[in-house]
Amino acid sequence: MENIYNIWLICLLFTCLLFLLCLIIPPQKIGRILPFFTAFWPSKNIQLDFQSVAYVALHRNIINRIIHYSIFVDAFAWLLILNSFWQGFLPIAVLLFMVQTLLIKEFKFTILANLILLTILAALLSLFDANIEYLMLWTMLSAALRVIGHFFEPLPPFLIDNSGQFAPMNFTTLKKLGLIKIVALLPIGFLAEFLSGQANRLFLVQINAITSALYKHQHILVWKNVVTKGINSYKKGIKQEPLFKSYCRFFEK
């Protein structure tokens, strides 16, 4: 179990490094090895429409979509793990989650998201008595599984060219990608998925999908419109989607 603990800490260290690189490496360069890297920017974490449409576009295969449901579990695993290091972390994390959902500016979504988080978290805190290493193992294995899930998807835009199109996963496109980049994408993809399991990331997108039918939207897209935009981006390329205009601008010739 000690090995799991140490490996998890190493993953956390490299994940923090990846996050910093997303902030400091020129966008036109980091975007060639980490698709939709801006999704990790703090400013983008409150742009739920951007996050949601990108999520739908990147996860069209049914196997991959099912695998990515693990993110919902990851969010709580992360909170419990970090709380085990310092019990003062949890109230701070919950407060930051509340602030983030408030900044999304959809009041009913904010209420529902926080109710879901707090209810499940309270239940887990009262019931959970297993070694924290099991949760660490879960977050690593689920991240690795999500990377495998993306093998069933086409390559995201801008990895190969500036067309903004998704490229089929075949020998021709992989040859264009190059062996070095293929090898590099595996650990980068793992770290990105590892980071995406946190409650402030794709957990909110999945909450959006779950709760969208429960209230009238004022400031964010209804989920069925999110799906429509995501599918159109998948089929026609992301340059035609206004939500991705600022992202595509990084790759203009």
Side-chain angles (χ1 to χ4, degrees), residues 27-29 31-32 156-166 237-239 247-253:
Q28 62 272 24
K29 292 185 178 180
R32 299 299 186 187
F158 303 122
L159 286 182
I160 296 177
D161 55 37
N162 291 336
S163 68
Q165 301 286 334
F166 285 81
I238 66 173
K239 286 187 175 181
Y247 178 71
C248 292
R249 199 172 291 136
F250 293 131
F251 304 97
E252 292 177 352
K253 292 183 179 179

Side-chain angles (χ1 to χ4, degrees), residues 95-151:
L95 178 61
L96 290 175
F97 184 85
M98 290 179 178
V99 171
Q100 181 180 355
T101 54
L102 282 169
L103 290 174
I104 291 172
K105 298 179 180 178
E106 188 70 68
F107 181 71
K108 292 179 181 178
F109 171 80
T110 298
I111 297 298
L112 289 169
N114 282 280
L115 276 176
I116 291 171
L117 181 81
L118 292 173
T119 302
I120 297 177
L121 189 58
L124 289 174
L125 287 171
S126 63
L127 297 173
F128 187 79
D129 60 357
N131 291 329
I132 209 71
E133 285 82 1
Y134 288 116
L135 293 179
M136 291 178 168
L137 181 61
W138 164 266
T139 58
M140 292 187 291
L141 290 178
S142 64
L145 194 60
R146 291 195 294 272
V147 172
I148 294 172
H150 278 285
F151 292 170

Side-chain angles (χ1 to χ4, degrees), residues 30-64:
I30 189 70
R32 299 299 186 187
I33 56 173
L34 181 59
F36 289 98
F37 64 93
T38 55
F40 296 102
W41 289 3
S43 60
K44 286 294 185 183
N45 277 330
I46 60 173
Q47 295 181 22
L48 192 57
D49 288 342
F50 175 92
Q51 298 279 355
S52 297
V53 174
Y55 179 86
V56 170
L58 289 167
H59 307 95
R60 298 310 314 141
N61 181 275
I62 184 63
I63 296 174
N64 194 29

Side-chain angles (χ1 to χ4, degrees), residues 176-187:
K176 290 180 181 178
L177 199 60
L179 181 60
I180 294 177
K181 189 179 284 189
I182 291 172
V183 173
L185 282 172
L186 292 174

